[in-house]
Amino acid sequence: MIYLNWRLKPHLQYPGLRWHLERIGKLTRERGRFIATEPLGTDGEAGEARVWEAVCRAFAARSCLGYWRYPFFSDTTRKEPDILIADRLFGLIIIEVKAITIDRILGISGHQWQFQNFYTTASHPYQQAENQLYALLRYCDVEPQLQRQVSARAMVALPAITRQQWQERQFDRLPSSPPILFAECLDNLVAEIDRFPLLQRGNPLTENFGFQAPSF
């Protein structure tokens, strides 16, 4: 695993993303590479670390790049997905991690989740992941060879909540219930992600895109 302490500057926002997608096009016979832009291990990050480690294990043999906290700018707004995966076959994946226990969720109304005894009283986890993903796709669309060609998914990871606990609160019956990776899903991550709906259907990221990227 590679740890880098860096942030994308606004003038590098699109070229930086394009370079990484170009690199995926050349990873046809290489294994996954995983980059954390900041170290994990601080207080309260145990749940996030569990999801990140599961991603590194599950995608280790795939042609992909995985990022913990990949920073980029959309217009003048800074965005930083918890986990970004660029996979040759899956395309772009954004995972918003909420390391919260079921008893701290007061309720869910549309995209808004209400919390108690948490660092915030409300959040929009899936909407946040979705907005980040669409922002990245807009960058892809600037490049003619990538326009509407990159598959994409967004989801929420709840490493401290099981599917049964979620169903007992009847959150699964809500029309706004998003794609969720529960605690038990982390042991079979690729299959779980594969069953989630695509927000955009594209083609595999291969050398057919005509990219030529530098090596690491």
Side-chain angles (χ1 to χ4, degrees), residues 180-213:
I180 295 177
L181 295 169
F182 297 103
E184 63 269 28
C185 298
L186 301 183
D187 295 326
N188 193 27
L189 202 58
V190 171
E192 292 289 340
I193 290 175
D194 191 32
R195 71 181 182 85
F196 289 150
L198 289 165
L199 293 180
Q200 177 171 293
R201 184 176 298 277
N203 295 309
L205 298 172
T206 70
E207 294 184 5
N208 292 331
F209 283 107
F211 293 133
Q212 182 63 45

Side-chain angles (χ1 to χ4, degrees), residues 149-165:
Q149 294 297 310
V150 181
S151 294
R153 291 178 172 90
M155 62 206 65
V156 178
L158 302 175
I161 297 177
T162 66
R163 192 188 307 274
Q164 181 177 346
Q165 290 174 325

Side-chain angles (χ1 to χ4, degrees), residues 8-22 70-75 135-147 150 211:
L8 276 180
K9 296 179 180 179
H11 68 282
L12 294 177
Q13 55 186 331
Y14 174 67
L17 173 65
R18 183 175 61 186
W19 185 90
H20 293 303
L21 288 175
E22 289 173 355
Y70 181 88
F72 68 98
F73 289 81
S74 176
D75 298 323
L136 286 173
L137 289 174
R138 284 195 293 272
Y139 288 138
C140 294
D141 287 345
V142 174
E143 175 64 45
Q145 290 173 303
L146 290 175
Q147 191 171 36
V150 181
F211 293 133

Side-chain angles (χ1 to χ4, degrees), residues 8-206:
L8 276 180
K9 296 179 180 179
H11 68 282
L12 294 177
Q13 55 186 331
Y14 174 67
L17 173 65
R18 183 175 61 186
W19 185 90
H20 293 303
L21 288 175
E22 289 173 355
R23 179 58 183 164
I24 290 297
K26 294 297 182 181
L27 286 177
T28 55
R29 286 184 291 274
E30 297 182 27
R31 294 186 176 183
R33 296 173 185 242
F34 306 96
I35 301 169
T37 65
E38 59 187 49
L40 285 83
T42 60
D43 292 342
E45 287 189 339
E48 287 90 341
R50 185 184 172 201
V51 178
W52 174 241
E53 289 165 3
V55 166
C56 293
R57 289 194 306 269
F59 284 80
R62 296 179 65 87
S63 298
C64 70
L65 290 171
Y67 291 90
W68 168 256
R69 299 280 171 84
Y70 181 88
F72 68 98
F73 289 81
S74 176
D75 298 323
T76 59
T77 304
R78 175 191 171 90
K79 299 182 184 298
E80 193 174 85
D82 285 341
I83 296 174
L84 167 65
I85 305 167
D87 183 89
R88 186 172 67 87
L89 296 179
F90 281 177
L92 293 177
I93 300 166
I94 284 183
I95 305 174
E96 174 67 18
V97 183
K98 281 286 175 280
I100 190 171
T101 54
I102 193 68
D103 57 291
R104 294 187 177 186
I105 302 178
L106 286 175
I108 298 176
S109 178
H111 281 303
Q112 186 178 71
W113 297 22
Q114 294 89 36
F115 305 125
Q116 63 179 356
N117 303 320
F118 199 47
Y119 71 89
T120 184
T121 58
S123 181
H124 303 75
Y126 181 70
Q127 187 177 45
Q128 180 177 333
E130 195 176 51
N131 289 343
Q132 292 167 342
L133 186 60
Y134 283 132
L136 286 173
L137 289 174
R138 284 195 293 272
Y139 288 138
C140 294
D141 287 345
V142 174
E143 175 64 45
Q145 290 173 303
L146 290 175
Q147 191 171 36
R148 304 293 298 175
Q149 294 297 310
V150 181
S151 294
R153 291 178 172 90
M155 62 206 65
V156 178
L158 302 175
I161 297 177
T162 66
R163 192 188 307 274
Q164 181 177 346
Q165 290 174 325
W166 189 259
Q167 292 172 344
E168 287 174 351
R169 292 287 301 275
Q170 299 186 1
F171 290 145
D172 61 306
R173 300 185 183 183
L174 297 174
S176 59
S177 183
I180 295 177
L181 295 169
F182 297 103
E184 63 269 28
C185 298
L186 301 183
D187 295 326
N188 193 27
L189 202 58
V190 171
E192 292 289 340
I193 290 175
D194 191 32
R195 71 181 182 85
F196 289 150
L198 289 165
L199 293 180
Q200 177 171 293
R201 184 176 298 277
N203 295 309
L205 298 172
T206 70

